[in-house]
């Protein structure tokens, strides 16, 4: 069954069960460590893909500002998002990665 969440606007498949970890994070808790980490890694992934594409076409960051101000602005926005998400992750979870994330 699909459940819509008002706060985020996303639909969540309620048939997908997750177990609670030691911190008490619940599957619908978008402020948990897992969601913080996924958001950060998603933005890093996008930034790396754009950078890889620019390198493939031979466009340097210095040339980019003059040739495409919108793309340069986008890259700066991604940088600020990454910085903010890293700060948020570090401030929310001062002990680092949760023990349940380590392989056993």
């Amino acid at each position: 069954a699909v459940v819509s969440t008002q706060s985020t606007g996303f639909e969540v498949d309620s048939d997908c069960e997750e177990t609670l970890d030691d911190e008490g994070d619940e599957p619908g808790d978008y402020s948990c460590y897992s969601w913080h980490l996924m958001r950060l890694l998603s933005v890093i992934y996008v930034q790396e893909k754009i950078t890889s594409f620019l390198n493939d076409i031979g466009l340097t960051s210095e040339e980019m500002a003059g040739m495409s101000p919108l793309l340069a602005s986008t890259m700066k926005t991604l940088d600020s998002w990454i910085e903010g998400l890293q700060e948020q992750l570090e401030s929310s979870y001062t002990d680092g990665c949760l023990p349940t994330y380590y392989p056993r």
Side-chain angles (χ1 to χ4, degrees), residues 21-50:
D21 64 22
D22 294 340
E23 297 295 315
D25 292 337
E26 296 186 22
D29 182 10
Y30 299 112
S31 63
C32 69
Y33 185 83
S34 300
W35 281 103
H36 279 283
L37 193 58
M38 277 198 312
R39 282 190 291 270
L40 174 60
L41 294 177
S42 296
V43 176
I44 290 172
Y45 178 78
V46 168
Q47 184 186 45
E48 287 179 355
K49 286 298 183 182
I50 292 172

Side-chain angles (χ1 to χ4, degrees), residues 36-87:
H36 279 283
L37 193 58
M38 277 198 312
R39 282 190 291 270
L40 174 60
L41 294 177
S42 296
V43 176
I44 290 172
Y45 178 78
V46 168
Q47 184 186 45
E48 287 179 355
K49 286 298 183 182
I50 292 172
T51 301
S52 175
F53 172 73
L54 294 174
N55 290 337
D56 288 347
I57 63 172
L59 188 61
T60 65
S61 57
E62 293 81 29
E63 297 170 329
M64 183 177 46
M67 294 179 73
S68 179
L70 182 58
L71 184 56
S73 174
T74 300
M75 295 302 283
K76 286 181 184 178
T77 300
L78 289 173
D79 284 336
S80 68
W81 285 357
I82 290 171
E83 184 180 315
L85 288 168
Q86 283 175 333
E87 288 174 5

Side-chain angles (χ1 to χ4, degrees), residues 11-30:
E11 292 182 352
V12 179
D13 186 356
S14 64
D15 294 336
C16 180
E17 293 294 324
E18 291 184 31
T19 59
L20 297 177
D21 64 22
D22 294 340
E23 297 295 315
D25 292 337
E26 296 186 22
D29 182 10
Y30 299 112

